[in-house]
Amino acid sequence: MAHQRQTENLVRALWRSVDAVCFDVDSTVCKDEAIDELAKFAKVEMGEVVKITQLAMRGGCSFQEALASRLDLIKPSRKLVYDFIQKNPPRLTPGIKELVDTLHRRGVDVFLVSGGFDVIIEPVATELNIPFTNIFANRLKFFYDGSYAGFDETAPTSQQDGKAQVCAYLKERFDYQTVIMVGDGATDLAACPPADAFIGFGGNQARDTIKRQAKWFVTSFKEMNDELNRN
């Protein structure tokens, strides 16, 4: 127990001196899993989609396999995606706006790193004053008639270790001293290392694996904001 407290304190100290934060989006920055919401919107049988999502979150299949399977069920056209964005404004998790504002005031760079889709994450970035260039996410592809044509399989975030790849790239590209990944799922946990620390977030979905393996596990962004304000 004493050792656990000690390692948590180390992560808290890193958090107070962080210079770049990578936030997962689905079930972290936002309350929902966007792909599940998109499936509901498309009136797709939800049982199968949710089953694949949960399997991926538990690390039971590769992220890219899960993404391909779910998209094959939904087959989202350009029009469907556009209508979805219009009718489903982001449902931000309480406290995220205040936390991002605090980070920005401290000169910390904030990135949205997601296995979701850039086009759906852009309205989230707008609400949080995060530039679109700080979004690392998947890109849907469409045929000329607007029908679904797959997704960009070369994007790092379509792969199991995609978030780790992004963290490594950011450290190399911008020479950050301390990069922290914040999220609720297996792909977030796998980003550390190269991220210098991982903070498990359970405010929307408290996953046992994450709770067990995260050195610091929080259930609200207020807790993280309060920690920053100790400085």
Side-chain angles (χ1 to χ4, degrees):
M1 195 67 184
H3 174 69
Q4 193 181 344
R5 186 69 201 163
Q6 197 177 8
T7 54
E8 181 182 310
N9 285 339
L10 284 172
V11 176
R12 285 173 179 264
L14 283 171
W15 174 241
R16 292 194 302 273
S17 65
V18 72
D19 49 5
V21 184
C22 295
F23 284 101
D24 169 51
V25 177
D26 295 335
S27 294
T28 301
V29 166
C30 292
K31 292 180 177 184
D32 311 306
E33 290 285 328
I35 197 160
D36 291 351
E37 296 308 307
L38 186 63
K40 281 182 210 163
F41 188 76
K43 297 187 169 51
V44 167
E45 166 50 49
M46 279 309 294
E48 242 354 83
V49 177
V50 172
K51 207 192 310 177
I52 300 166
T53 301
Q54 288 172 345
L55 189 64
M57 281 300 176
R58 290 195 303 269
C61 67
S62 93
F63 184 82
Q64 194 167 79
E65 287 166 346
L67 186 62
S69 303
R70 289 175 293 180
L71 286 171
D72 284 344
L73 286 170
I74 302 166
K75 293 192 170 47
S77 66
R78 185 186 277 119
K79 183 182 185 312
L80 179 90
V81 173
Y82 178 78
D83 288 348
F84 173 77
I85 292 165
Q86 295 304 303
K87 291 172 185 169
N88 291 272
R91 296 202 319 137
L92 296 178
T93 301
I96 187 60
K97 187 143 182 33
E98 293 77 3
L99 179 56
V100 171
D101 287 348
T102 301
L103 289 165
H104 282 157
R105 275 198 307 276
R106 293 166 66 102
V108 177
D109 290 337
V110 178
F111 297 88
L112 298 175
V113 184
S114 172
F117 309 108
D118 53 5
V119 67
I120 293 175
I121 292 168
E122 285 170 1
V124 177
T126 300
E127 284 206 32
L128 296 174
N129 295 315
I130 295 170
F132 288 178
T133 48
N134 287 20
I135 298 173
F136 289 84
N138 291 316
R139 188 176 66 83
L140 290 168
K141 297 197 289 195
F142 304 101
F143 290 113
Y144 287 117
D145 65 357
S147 61
Y148 173 63
F151 61 95
D152 180 1
E153 293 180 24
T154 65
T157 48
S158 75
Q159 293 150 37
Q160 191 71 19
D161 65 343
K163 292 177 183 180
Q165 288 182 47
V166 171
C167 290
Y169 164 77
L170 292 174
K171 289 186 80 168
E172 192 182 327
R173 170 79 177 77
F174 298 107
D175 203 25
Y176 292 127
Q177 296 308 296
T178 308
V179 173
I180 291 183
M181 181 79 218
V182 182
D184 72 301
T187 56
D188 307 308
L189 179 65
C192 175
D196 300 281
F198 166 70
I199 299 172
F201 184 76
N204 296 308
Q205 294 276 345
R207 303 181 202 282
D208 289 340
T209 353
I210 306 305
K211 204 170 182 177
R212 213 168 40 247
Q213 294 186 49
K215 293 186 174 75
W216 185 24
F217 183 81
V218 301
T219 53
S220 81
F221 287 124
K222 184 181 183 305
E223 195 179 337
M224 295 169 71
N225 209 6
D226 288 348
E227 189 65 38
L228 288 176
N229 290 326
R230 281 179 55 192
N231 273 17

